Amino acid sequence: MGTRRLTGLPDDADLARADSLGREIFSDVANKWALLIIEFLGERTLRFSELRNEVEGISHKMLTQNLRMLERNGLVERTVYPTVPPRVEYTLTDPGRALRVTIDGLCDWTHQYLGHIEDSRRRFDG
Amino acid sequence: MGTRRLTGLPDDADLARADSLGREIFSDVANKWALLIIEFLGERTLRFSELRNEVEGISHKMLTQNLRMLERNGLVERTVYPTVPPRVEYTLTDPGRALRVTIDGLCDWTHQYLGHIEDSRRRFDG
DNA sequence: CTGGATCCAGCTCGATACTG
DNA sequence: CAGTATCGAGCTGGATCCAG
């Protein structure tokens, strides 16, 4: 393994690693709260408490937990103002904003097919 | 409520309903397995057992469960061939294919920012 | 205000066994 | 082969309390 490194092309080990990492990232990101946080953050900068209000239904714990995860993955930037009481602001990074574009697509899709889906459900349930 | 129905514009009740339904759909769709199933289904038609093999790591139960949900929402069409042993094929509907486009975007994003994210994680963890 | 830690009820999910 | 049902371990997530 690693013998093809010289060619500049990824070898099998690299591909395997990228695959498992990709799967991991996919799992991180493909969850309701993470997507909603990124969507609501949008182009704005929001404080913890503001996000808490915007993302309806999210608990204190889920918000911190997801914000840490997003920060760790470099999708969200966290800036702390050492005042009292503390003020912490969250904003999307470039990768975060790029991801938001696809989430926008998901939201548009939901809106566009709302009727179809509602009909389909009625048919299926009845 | 409903008094604005005559104008053809949605009234508050409609908006509230659309909102909660949208949230519900979002919750259905924004989960790892559903997204992976749709992505793997792509333009192809696959049998249950084929999907089981393609979507690595998914359990029998999760696959059936998600397929039912996707069928109920009209994203996946299920056709049963009354042979023995039974043959069941799954294929994306138009809404499903439309959704797949945005999921493709998500996959592209993951691939594109893999390096950024890996770096960010190292920085965060260390 | 932000956020870490703990507790535990409830749900998720995998394993297994069973039907047509 | 495809699908349902059941059971139980384990994780999730909400509530609560405490700290900086």
Side-chain angles (χ1 to χ4, degrees), chain B residues 59 61-62 86:
Chain B
S59 70
K61 184 179 178 179
M62 282 301 97

Side-chain angles (χ1 to χ4, degrees), chain A residues 47-49 60 68 78 86 90:
Chain A
R47 302 183 56 173
F48 182 87
S49 46
H60 183 128
R68 286 301 153 273
R78 177 170 177 269
Y90 294 91

Side-chain angles (χ1 to χ4, degrees), chain B:
Chain B
M1 62 175 157
T3 53
R4 270 184 290 166
R5 183 70 51 101
L6 294 175
T7 65
L9 292 172
D11 61 25
D12 292 349
D14 284 342
L15 288 176
R17 186 185 52 73
D19 220 52
S20 87
L21 185 61
R23 189 63 75 92
E24 204 184 316
I25 294 169
F26 199 85
S27 296
D28 270 1
V29 155
N31 94 64
K32 179 181 154 184
W33 293 129
L35 294 180
L36 284 175
I37 289 171
I38 293 172
E39 184 63 17
F40 276 108
L41 218 38
E43 300 299 325
R44 299 174 295 170
T45 292
L46 291 178
R47 300 181 58 170
F48 183 87
S49 47
E50 290 170 335
L51 266 171
R52 182 107 164 72
N53 293 330
E54 297 270 353
V55 183
E56 193 190 359
I58 197 170
S59 70
H60 185 127
K61 184 179 178 179
M62 282 301 97
L63 184 53
T64 38
Q65 198 166 300
N66 277 278
L67 283 173
R68 287 299 156 276
M69 180 272 287
L70 293 173
E71 187 191 2
R72 181 171 112 93
N73 287 326
L75 308 192
V76 156
E77 190 177 72
R78 176 170 177 269
T79 53
V80 182
Y81 298 91
T83 61
V84 43
R87 174 188 189 82
V88 181
E89 291 186 345
Y90 293 92
T91 187
L92 291 183
T93 61
D94 282 344
R97 272 190 288 274
L99 177 56
R100 181 169 184 264
V101 173
T102 83
I103 300 176
D104 282 343
L106 182 56
C107 291
D108 291 347
W109 176 89
T110 304
H111 181 257
Q112 183 175 355
Y113 287 98
L114 211 62
H116 280 72
I117 293 173
E118 213 174 358
D119 291 348
S120 177
R121 285 186 173 189
R122 253 196 297 275
R123 240 176 294 119
F124 188 93
D125 293 340

Side-chain angles (χ1 to χ4, degrees), chain A residues 39 99-110, chain B residues 98-99 102:
Chain A
E39 183 63 17
L99 177 57
R100 181 170 185 263
V101 173
T102 84
I103 300 176
D104 282 343
L106 181 56
C107 291
D108 290 347
W109 175 89
T110 303
Chain B
L99 177 56
T102 83

